[in-house]
Amino acid sequence: QRRGGGGGGRGGGANKRRREGRLVGAQVLSLGADVLPEYKLQTPRIQKWTILHYSPFKAVWDWVILLLVIYTAIFTPYSATFLLRLVETHTATCGYSCSPLNVVDLIVDIMFIVDIIINFRTTYVNSNDEVVSQSSRIAVHYFKGWFLIDMVAAIPFDLLIYRSGEETTTLIGLLKTARLLRLVRVARKLDRYSEYGAAVLFLLMCSFALIAHWLACIWYAIGNVDRSASAGIGWLDTLGDQLGKPYNDSITESGPSIRDKYVTALYFTFSSLTSVGFGNVSPNTNSEKIFSICVMLIGALMYASIFGNVSAIIQRLYSGTARYHAQMMKVREFIRFHQIPNPLKQRPDIRPVLHLQRIHRDPQRRHGGSHTG
């Protein structure tokens, strides 16, 4: 019986270790904060077609959705401004499926819709630290939470609205920016990495670059709208004259290339946000000047909220090294004061010296412990 009990204990221990390994793997991959606590290693009873929120499948799926959201945050404003005429031309000549961007956008919309369906079947942790697997409670919890944002971000506006001209294409591009609402959810999930200084610094720099990218797209859209009514004084006309590629209303493809326009717009927003503008790209029309004022205000706020914390983050990164050097200085002072012999002083393992230092500070340890009445 003892042998059988020992075998059962070993089998139970192996199963427990396997569950712990799966839990640790899912926790490493997971982007969410609601991970099953370690003391709840028992597999909960779930209904059919229900997904555990800490399962490896859900963790991998969250990473896929994160990559799609990053793609959306970068390419949706870019395609809605810089590639607007190109997409319209391809759609008018050979249909919706001719443009690769339209196909990719359709795939992204389908993935976002599938994500909504998966969220309706994914468990969550309630306020009592219990895993909820009932479908009705999961649906109510999702409806009260992120359903509205996910639904608006997944609407395929380019399929629902018929393209009948440049105005309709512009409207579709603006409506597709609703996908950026998913960034709010991603930002909430990335809060779990706020305890790591290097991760926070990387996320802050990425946020700064992403905002500069969005502002560059808006800056180009303003210049493109003002070009027809600015009598050739807008920043796009100035750029065309500087590059030797002036605009000609009789030629559709005249003017600077898309790469030249995007690089110049991004250069202007970065220089304005960092308050280091050189004046070679300057606002000329009233709309451009008003937008430049807004960019300067945004840059000042970003300096206060982001770059003001960079020094604190870097200091936190090197705080461990500073504590180590301070402790080593105390050890050297202890060695010099007590005249520790050279063989002991030159040993690479300084833990015995630290132990001697603790004994020196606590006289009761010299007698093997504290005295009892």
Side-chain angles (χ1 to χ4, degrees):
Q1 290 178 352
R2 284 196 299 268
R3 288 195 297 270
R10 287 192 297 271
N15 293 332
K16 183 178 180 180
R17 286 192 295 272
R18 284 195 295 268
R19 287 194 297 268
E20 290 177 349
R22 289 194 298 268
L23 177 62
V24 171
Q27 186 173 5
V28 170
L29 290 173
S30 178
L31 288 173
D34 296 329
V35 182
L36 191 67
E38 294 184 1
Y39 60 85
K40 290 187 176 180
L41 297 175
Q42 298 84 4
T43 303
R45 296 180 179 178
I46 60 174
Q47 300 179 0
K48 190 177 181 180
W49 305 109
T50 301
I51 303 172
L52 291 174
H53 67 280
Y54 57 91
S55 62
F57 167 78
K58 188 60 171 61
V60 174
W61 178 259
D62 286 342
W63 278 105
V64 172
I65 295 299
L66 174 63
L67 295 178
L68 293 179
V69 170
I70 294 175
Y71 165 83
T72 299
I74 296 175
F75 283 97
T76 297
Y78 181 79
S79 61
T81 53
F82 289 92
L83 303 181
L84 182 65
R85 183 174 298 179
L86 181 63
V87 173
E88 182 184 2
T89 303
H90 284 181
T91 304
T93 54
C94 56
Y96 179 83
S97 60
C98 177
S99 175
L101 288 176
N102 290 336
V103 176
V104 174
D105 288 342
L106 180 61
I107 295 175
V108 171
D109 291 334
I110 294 175
M111 295 294 285
F112 284 168
I113 293 174
V114 173
D115 182 61
I116 293 176
I117 299 174
I118 290 178
N119 286 328
F120 272 114
R121 305 299 303 176
T122 303
T123 62
Y124 70 96
V125 178
N126 59 13
S127 58
N128 297 327
D129 205 14
E130 298 174 347
V131 177
V132 178
S133 59
Q134 289 82 1
S135 302
S136 58
R137 296 179 62 183
I138 293 175
V140 171
H141 179 264
Y142 185 46
F143 271 119
K144 292 181 179 179
W146 299 100
F147 172 75
L148 182 60
I149 291 179
D150 293 346
M151 189 62 192
V152 173
I155 296 177
F157 293 103
D158 45 355
L159 293 179
L160 299 178
I161 301 177
Y162 176 74
R163 297 177 184 264
S164 58
E166 184 176 355
E167 294 79 7
T168 307
T169 307
T170 305
L171 176 62
I172 292 175
L174 293 176
L175 291 176
K176 287 171 67 174
T177 57
R179 294 176 177 178
L180 301 180
L181 293 173
R182 274 186 169 262
L183 285 175
V184 180
R185 187 171 185 177
V186 172
R188 290 285 300 273
K189 290 185 176 183
L190 291 178
D191 281 343
R192 62 177 300 186
Y193 299 105
S194 59
E195 58 182 304
Y196 306 106
V200 172
L201 184 60
F202 176 75
L203 292 175
L204 290 178
M205 297 303 297
C206 290
S207 301
F208 180 81
L210 184 61
I211 292 175
H213 168 73
W214 292 345
L215 294 176
C217 295
I218 299 175
W219 171 249
Y220 169 74
I222 292 174
N224 194 30
V225 171
D226 286 347
R227 197 182 64 81
S228 58
S230 62
I233 64 172
W235 76 271
L236 283 175
D237 295 287
T238 305
L239 177 65
D241 296 336
Q242 291 175 353
L243 297 178
K245 302 176 182 178
Y247 281 95
N248 189 350
D249 294 335
S250 60
I251 302 177
T252 307
E253 301 298 331
S254 63
S257 62
I258 294 178
R259 181 178 63 181
D260 294 333
K261 291 183 286 189
Y262 174 73
V263 171
T264 305
L266 190 64
Y267 165 78
F268 171 78
T269 54
F270 265 105
S271 59
S272 299
L273 289 174
T274 55
S275 302
V276 228
F278 297 100
N280 50 354
V281 181
S282 59
N284 299 319
T285 65
N286 291 331
S287 300
E288 294 173 357
K289 292 176 182 178
I290 293 174
F291 177 75
S292 300
I293 294 173
C294 296
V295 171
M296 294 175 190
L297 293 176
I298 294 174
L301 293 175
M302 292 180 66
Y303 257 105
S305 60
I306 296 180
F307 291 101
N309 298 324
V310 171
S311 59
I313 293 172
I314 295 177
Q315 184 178 3
R316 185 169 56 182
L317 289 176
Y318 292 99
S319 60
T321 305
R323 286 195 302 266
Y324 170 76
H325 287 296
Q327 188 69 21
M328 287 298 298
M329 185 177 297
K330 293 179 182 179
V331 170
R332 295 189 188 98
E333 292 177 357
F334 177 83
I335 291 175
R336 285 196 301 266
F337 181 79
H338 292 278
Q339 298 179 357
I340 303 297
N342 286 331
L344 179 60
K345 181 172 34 177
Q346 296 177 358
R347 288 183 58 179
D349 189 2
I350 63 172
R351 283 178 293 181
V353 180
L354 296 177
H355 181 64
L356 289 175
Q357 186 180 15
R358 288 194 296 268
I359 293 177
H360 175 72
R361 291 180 178 178
D362 190 359
Q364 291 183 353
R365 294 190 179 183
R366 301 175 186 175
H367 305 285
S370 61
H371 297 285
T372 57

